[in-house]
Amino acid sequence: MCLNMYNRCAPLRSRHALHSWLSTGHVSRLRLQSLGQGVPSRVRARAHQQATPFFVGLMVLELVVGFLKTGAPVVTLSDGLTSVSAGMISRIPLLFMRGCELTAYMFVWDRYRLLELPWDSAWTWWIAFLCVDFCYYWVHRLAHEVSFMWAAHQVHHSSEYYNLTTALRQSLTQQFTSWIFYLPMALIVPPAVFAVHIQLNLLYQFWIHTELIKNLGPLEWVFNTPTYHKVHHGRNSYCIDKNYGGILIIWDRLFGTFAAEKDKVVFGLVSPINTFEILYVQLHYYLYLGRRSTTFKTISDKCLTFINGPSWKPGKPRLGDHLDNPKLTGQEVPHDPSWSLPLQMYVIIHFLLALGTYQDVFDNKMTLSQFNMLGMTGYVLLTLTSMGFLIDQRPRAAVLEMLRCVLMVTMQRYGYMKPLLPTLAVTTQAFVSLSLLYWALRSFSQMFSIRKKTD
């Protein structure tokens, strides 16, 4: 499968074709180099484009099968939307810069590579497969053992459910540190081969985020499976800092971080955040680390707050000991606030409108101006934030939603927001206008109520 994916992207099919093409003068070496450098970005773009329908299809299948097996949905609307929103936000930096992983990798490859493994050798692909998975193990492990890296990775663990939408709950900031761990590969592995395997490693991990798939027998001796990754997402004491592997579980077995399921797994963070406000989900732990560091007296302890493990305190081992973690009873219930069906339908419709704009930005990022991209991206972020306020039913949700609807009307007026379907253009405009009217009335009503109480 990996070779087939590469064959569709590579500009040349074999070394013989390469030498023939160069010898006949059809292309210069400089041009060939530029073609080769373009491969990784095309691999990533094609992987995302081709994987999306499978992601959606598998999530729908999980929802149906889960309901048939348990009589209850495997995902709640509030949690599922938050997970998808986190995935959307995690890709926004790609609108304004190239991915850190591939950019840094190609820089090292161009200037410092020691040798060039042939892309059409099976050994190259197996070496790349093992190296990427090995590097991912250490990226993942340190993301749990170093507090400032955990501040990014905790986003993925913040859901109190374990389903395929949880796989999409990704961090906005983790991509700015993870690239460092893959750089040694750039000394020998071609960028295009690395690009395929880094995507393969991430795509594999999507399907293991489910409780519906049970023990897979002998496969579990070598591969990371839903039963093992389920443990990784637990906040039970025996689950914490275990099963870091991506595709293979052998690294955990080798380095002493493997754990099989024992007691019922309780999912989520040790201290649940109990909110669906997406920017808080993404960034709250950085604020926590800042506040925590101010409680220590010495400069070294303040710095170690960010470098040592999340459970560390002065006088404890580097990773802490988890003794201060809240005790679990096995009766924990995920945070799931009650909200009306009309409000749920409203949130779904506006989320889909924002998703359309989000996709439109990515589809046209080469032609949109920086100003337009910033404006449309700002609208998406404001929508995801406002939806979280509505789900949490915060007092200021009405005012924020009114302001967001004002922005939507403006974007519609100047053609920066498209309807879900061309035939729904008038209906969408009417719906957005009515939304603005409703939240304006709600906001003014709240203001008058507050003023009466103060009088």
Side-chain angles (χ1 to χ4, degrees):
M1 182 178 70
C2 296
L3 286 171
N4 288 337
M5 185 181 292
Y6 187 89
N7 286 339
R8 291 197 298 269
C9 300
L12 298 174
R13 298 305 180 105
S14 66
R15 287 187 176 275
H16 177 71
L18 169 60
H19 291 303
S20 298
W21 207 22
L22 286 173
S23 62
T24 54
H26 287 295
V27 65
S28 68
R29 291 184 182 273
L30 182 61
R31 173 60 176 159
L32 179 62
Q33 184 180 14
S34 67
L35 285 170
Q37 289 178 342
V39 169
S41 60
R42 293 202 299 274
V43 169
R44 170 166 287 191
R46 179 169 290 189
H48 282 146
Q49 184 180 11
Q50 294 184 346
T52 298
F54 291 100
F55 286 173
V56 174
L58 288 174
M59 286 188 289
V60 172
L61 180 62
E62 182 191 39
L63 193 63
V64 173
V65 173
F67 186 80
L68 292 176
K69 289 184 67 174
T70 66
V74 297
V75 58
T76 63
L77 179 61
S78 52
D79 190 78
L81 285 180
T82 304
S83 293
V84 177
S85 298
M88 293 168 62
I89 286 180
S90 71
R91 293 189 64 213
I92 284 178
L94 298 178
L95 290 171
F96 305 99
M97 63 182 189
R98 297 176 66 183
C100 293
E101 282 176 354
L102 293 179
T103 301
Y105 193 97
M106 291 170 66
F107 177 86
V108 174
W109 168 262
D110 287 339
R111 291 165 175 78
Y112 304 110
R113 66 178 180 266
L114 302 178
L115 59 95
E116 183 174 345
L117 294 179
W119 76 265
D120 54 353
S121 168
W123 283 108
T124 300
W125 288 86
W126 282 113
I127 290 171
F129 169 79
L130 291 173
C131 287
V132 166
D133 204 62
F134 178 77
C135 292
Y136 175 82
Y137 170 86
W138 287 105
V139 171
H140 197 182
R141 180 168 176 172
L142 290 182
H144 282 253
E145 295 184 353
V146 178
S147 286
F148 81 88
M149 294 179 67
W150 171 247
H153 186 62
Q154 59 81 30
V155 176
H156 183 60
H157 286 262
S158 60
S159 174
E160 295 181 83
Y161 296 87
Y162 189 65
N163 52 64
L164 293 179
T165 67
T166 308
L168 304 181
R169 187 178 286 225
Q170 297 296 323
S171 169
L172 169 68
T173 55
Q174 187 169 345
Q175 57 196 298
F176 300 120
T177 55
S178 61
W179 57 271
I180 299 171
F181 296 85
Y182 297 101
L183 291 185
M185 289 182 59
L187 299 176
I188 59 173
V189 177
V193 179
F194 167 75
V196 170
H197 277 286
I198 195 70
Q199 292 302 308
L200 174 65
N201 195 277
L202 295 176
L203 291 175
Y204 175 91
Q205 294 179 57
F206 176 77
W207 75 277
I208 62 177
H209 289 82
T210 182
E211 291 190 85
L212 297 182
I213 299 176
K214 306 302 180 182
N215 191 288
L216 295 179
L219 291 177
E220 306 216 344
W221 300 344
V222 177
F223 293 100
N224 192 15
T225 64
T227 55
Y228 292 153
H229 201 63
K230 174 183 177 181
V231 170
H232 176 74
H233 273 259
R235 51 185 162 119
N236 313 59
S237 58
Y238 80 90
C239 297
I240 296 175
D241 298 339
K242 300 296 182 181
N243 298 0
Y244 295 116
I247 295 178
L248 303 175
I249 201 67
I250 58 174
W251 314 120
D252 291 285
R253 296 185 187 276
L254 286 172
F255 297 114
T257 54
F258 173 76
E261 183 177 358
K262 300 175 185 177
D263 304 324
K264 174 187 175 183
V265 177
V266 181
F267 301 111
L269 300 173
V270 169
S271 298
I273 54 177
N274 294 333
T275 182
F276 300 102
E277 199 277 284
I278 192 61
L279 291 181
Y280 185 85
V281 172
Q282 289 281 349
L283 303 174
H284 76 95
Y285 203 84
Y286 291 105
L287 302 177
Y288 166 75
L289 286 178
R291 292 193 302 268
R292 189 164 178 254
S293 67
T294 61
T295 64
F296 301 134
K297 295 181 179 179
T298 66
I299 296 295
S300 61
D301 285 345
K302 292 178 184 293
C303 294
L304 289 174
T305 303
F306 297 90
I307 299 172
N308 284 346
S311 297
W312 174 84
K313 288 181 180 179
K316 289 191 174 184
R318 184 181 72 84
L319 299 181
D321 52 22
H322 309 306
L323 293 179
D324 297 328
N325 292 351
K327 304 302 180 184
L328 299 181
T329 65
Q331 304 300 317
E332 285 75 15
V333 178
H335 178 61
D336 185 21
S338 176
W339 47 315
S340 67
L341 181 61
L343 184 57
Q344 293 181 37
M345 297 304 298
Y346 176 88
V347 166
I348 290 174
I349 293 172
H350 277 278
F351 177 82
L352 291 176
L353 290 172
L355 185 61
T357 301
Y358 175 85
Q359 189 61 46
D360 192 39
V361 173
F362 273 92
D363 289 343
N364 300 286
K365 66 179 182 179
M366 301 303 295
T367 58
L368 288 171
S369 67
Q370 289 286 319
F371 178 79
N372 288 342
M373 280 204 299
L374 284 172
M376 296 170 76
T377 302
Y379 155 71
V380 171
L381 287 173
L382 182 59
T383 298
L384 300 181
T385 301
S386 185
M387 296 301 103
F389 272 54
L390 291 175
I391 297 172
D392 286 344
Q393 300 173 53
R394 297 193 185 183
R396 297 181 181 178
V399 175
L400 182 61
E401 184 63 7
M402 179 189 69
L403 296 175
R404 190 188 71 85
C405 288
V406 170
L407 178 60
M408 285 187 72
V409 170
T410 304
M411 291 179 64
Q412 281 185 330
R413 172 67 177 82
Y414 292 99
Y416 290 113
M417 194 182 79
K418 297 178 181 178
L420 296 176
L421 295 172
T423 55
L424 296 177
V426 176
T427 304
T428 302
Q429 290 179 358
F431 177 72
V432 172
S433 299
L434 289 173
S435 299
L436 172 58
L437 177 61
Y438 174 80
W439 292 110
L441 293 174
R442 281 284 301 271
S443 300
F444 292 135
S445 175
Q446 287 182 357
M447 291 172 58
F448 288 137
S449 297
I450 294 174
R451 184 171 296 179
K452 285 182 179 180
K453 288 180 180 179
T454 56
D455 293 340

